[in-house]
Amino acid sequence: MSKIKLSKGEFTPISEGQHIFKITGSTYKEDFGRLEIKLTTAEGAKHTEKYFLLNDNREINEGAQRAFSFLAKTALNNFNLEEVDPEDLVGCYVEARVTHDKVPSQKDPAQTMTFIHLRDMKPASGFENQNGATPAEEEETEEPATNDFDLDDLLG
């Protein structure tokens, strides 16, 4: 009988720092108020943001609703939205600073769990700009913009 090689099953969290993510999927279980947004980096690293939009009493979880609202408005680059279908986010990009929060496991305090947080989120138009650099790389390397024109000439 043939043997199939198995993967090691090791999970590597997305490294801390600035990353651009493409939203690649969404799953909303309306009856439970559970929303999952799948994100992927240009390198193929995957991350899932989970929002529990209803609390145990089946009431709106305002904190989760605010967090998802910010992600949706940022991804669509439209801060005037009042509602959104989570599927509309698929294909959109966001840039965020990834941080790690390491805490002891509740099941086994000898082990550490790493929670990944997306901070300072802002809209992005894709993984790379016209120069081939990501917006984060461009911010670090680009000289401040200088105007090659005289404002008085433009205004007459």
Side-chain angles (χ1 to χ4, degrees):
M1 183 178 283
S2 299
K3 294 192 178 202
I4 300 171
K5 184 173 177 133
L6 301 176
S7 69
K8 293 181 182 180
E10 293 178 18
F11 172 75
T12 304
I14 294 174
S15 63
E16 290 186 298
Q18 205 71 14
H19 293 277
I20 294 178
F21 296 90
K22 180 177 184 179
I23 298 174
T24 56
S26 74
T27 306
Y28 182 41
K29 296 182 180 175
E30 192 171 359
D31 292 343
F32 302 103
R34 183 182 171 135
L35 173 63
E36 291 187 358
I37 302 294
K38 305 280 186 186
L39 301 113
T40 305
T41 66
E43 297 79 26
K46 296 182 184 331
H47 176 70
T48 302
E49 283 287 296
K50 296 178 183 179
Y51 301 95
F52 298 94
L53 300 173
L54 297 177
N55 62 23
D56 292 340
N57 297 329
R58 314 270 312 140
E59 297 169 349
I60 293 175
N61 178 345
E62 291 183 22
Q65 187 177 26
R66 280 192 304 271
F68 170 67
S69 295
F70 185 72
L71 170 71
K73 291 175 180 184
T74 301
L76 293 169
N77 199 16
N78 182 346
F79 291 87
N80 296 317
L81 288 175
E82 293 186 16
E83 63 182 16
V84 68
D85 179 341
E87 285 296 317
D88 292 344
L89 303 178
V90 176
C92 293
Y93 293 84
V94 294
E95 182 174 356
R97 181 174 52 88
V98 174
T99 62
H100 292 177
D101 187 14
K102 296 182 180 187
V103 296
S105 169
Q106 292 180 348
K107 293 179 182 175
D108 182 2
Q111 294 196 358
T112 308
M113 295 182 63
T114 301
F115 292 95
I116 297 170
H117 302 284
L118 304 184
R119 311 251 190 235
D120 305 327
M121 197 177 300
K122 58 187 175 183
S125 58
F127 286 126
E128 295 183 351
N129 63 23
Q130 295 173 3
N131 301 330
T134 66
E137 292 169 338
E138 186 176 66
E139 279 180 18
E140 294 172 3
T141 60
E142 213 174 73
E143 295 290 321
T146 58
N147 297 330
D148 293 329
F149 55 86
D150 185 349
L151 186 58
D152 291 331
D153 290 340
L154 289 174
L155 297 175

